[in-house]
Amino acid sequence: MCTLIVRPGRTLTLMGVRDEFTDRPWEAPAEHWPEHPGLFGGRDLKAGGTWLAVNPAARRAAALLNGHGRPVPEKDRLSRGHLPLRAASTGTPPGSDLTRYDPFHLVLAELTRIRMFSWDGERLTTTDLPDGVSMIVNTGLDPASERVLVYLPRFESETWSELIKAEPSSDPGALIVRHELPGGRVLASLSVMEVSLSLEGVTYEFTDLTADRDR
């Protein structure tokens, strides 16, 4: 996932925009993981994990974004997609030995606390998200990001569901993206998931951005 918007409060709301190669197969949110009963999220069919896992019983969600830093050699690499599953299940940090994971940001959201764990390939840092709306991108809580500069004020004042209707763009400040790369591969915004957590319950809305667009 490349963008996560978080709004704390009595109702905690998260919206994740997933950017991925269009030829990487995936499934829409459901309870896909018998080893994590009750969890739901979209499933990456290549590695089996997810980018946003929700635990309704615990009123907890965990979201994964790619980070910047030192990557792991491919022969030693573990998929990061299982990190949000474990975090949503247990409510605990991602662990002490992360040396086989490429850099990431893992946001663990609960009604009483929202934490971001950032791994750059060498060091893990923990950040408590501030009050108000936050926007996390691949560089973390980065106020200088072009996407954050353009869209954070809009997420603070506009209806979120309207913002994801933007046409795909290769502009660095775009929220919904489409990049046609050398060799014919396409990196694009494939889906959006908005989750609301409160003491009263959990709701979510899932938008498949590929449903009416060419992959």
Side-chain angles (χ1 to χ4, degrees):
M1 191 162 63
C2 286
T3 309
L4 180 72
I5 302 92
V6 182
R7 181 174 59 208
R10 189 175 184 278
T11 297
L12 167 61
T13 307
L14 306 94
M15 174 180 277
V17 181
R18 183 182 184 231
D19 301 344
E20 183 55 88
F21 288 109
T22 57
D23 58 1
R24 184 161 180 151
W26 56 282
E27 289 182 313
E31 294 184 27
H32 292 295
W33 303 276
E35 67 274 25
H36 295 289
L39 258 62
F40 71 84
R43 180 168 61 168
D44 169 40
L45 293 178
K46 181 176 180 180
T50 190
W51 51 96
L52 202 167
V54 182
N55 184 338
R59 306 296 194 266
R60 181 188 301 135
L64 179 76
L65 295 89
N66 295 341
H68 290 180
R70 187 175 68 181
V72 179
E74 187 171 357
K75 63 181 178 63
D76 300 323
R77 184 180 301 148
L78 293 176
S79 170
R80 294 166 292 187
H82 294 281
L83 294 172
L85 293 172
R86 290 201 293 269
S89 290
T90 65
T92 58
S96 56
D97 183 8
L98 301 172
T99 55
R100 295 183 66 187
Y101 295 101
D102 278 346
F104 63 81
H105 303 288
L106 179 69
V107 176
L108 178 57
E110 301 172 285
L111 294 180
T112 57
R113 189 180 186 188
I114 308 169
R115 290 171 285 173
M116 181 174 71
F117 305 98
S118 298
W119 169 250
D120 64 3
E122 299 180 357
R123 186 169 66 102
L124 180 70
T125 58
T126 303
T127 304
D128 282 286
L129 266 60
D131 293 336
V133 177
S134 294
M135 191 169 178
I136 301 109
V137 292
N138 294 140
T139 47
L141 283 169
D142 182 2
S145 160
E146 292 186 64
R147 184 175 298 173
V148 174
L149 287 169
V150 172
Y151 272 94
L152 180 56
R154 300 187 66 182
F155 276 104
E156 291 174 334
S157 62
E158 298 182 36
T159 302
W160 290 16
S161 58
E162 292 300 311
L163 297 179
I164 65 171
K165 295 179 182 179
E167 284 298 311
S169 171
S170 60
D171 188 282
L175 177 68
I176 307 301
V177 306
R178 182 178 177 88
H179 300 282
E180 298 186 6
L181 306 176
R185 297 191 82 187
V186 175
L187 177 71
S189 300
L190 303 184
S191 64
V192 179
M193 188 169 173
E194 182 175 343
V195 179
S196 295
L197 309 174
S198 70
L199 289 173
E200 289 72 30
V202 175
T203 63
Y204 81 94
E205 294 184 17
F206 179 75
T207 304
D208 180 354
L209 297 177
T210 71
D212 55 1
R213 294 172 179 164
D214 292 337
R215 295 186 181 215

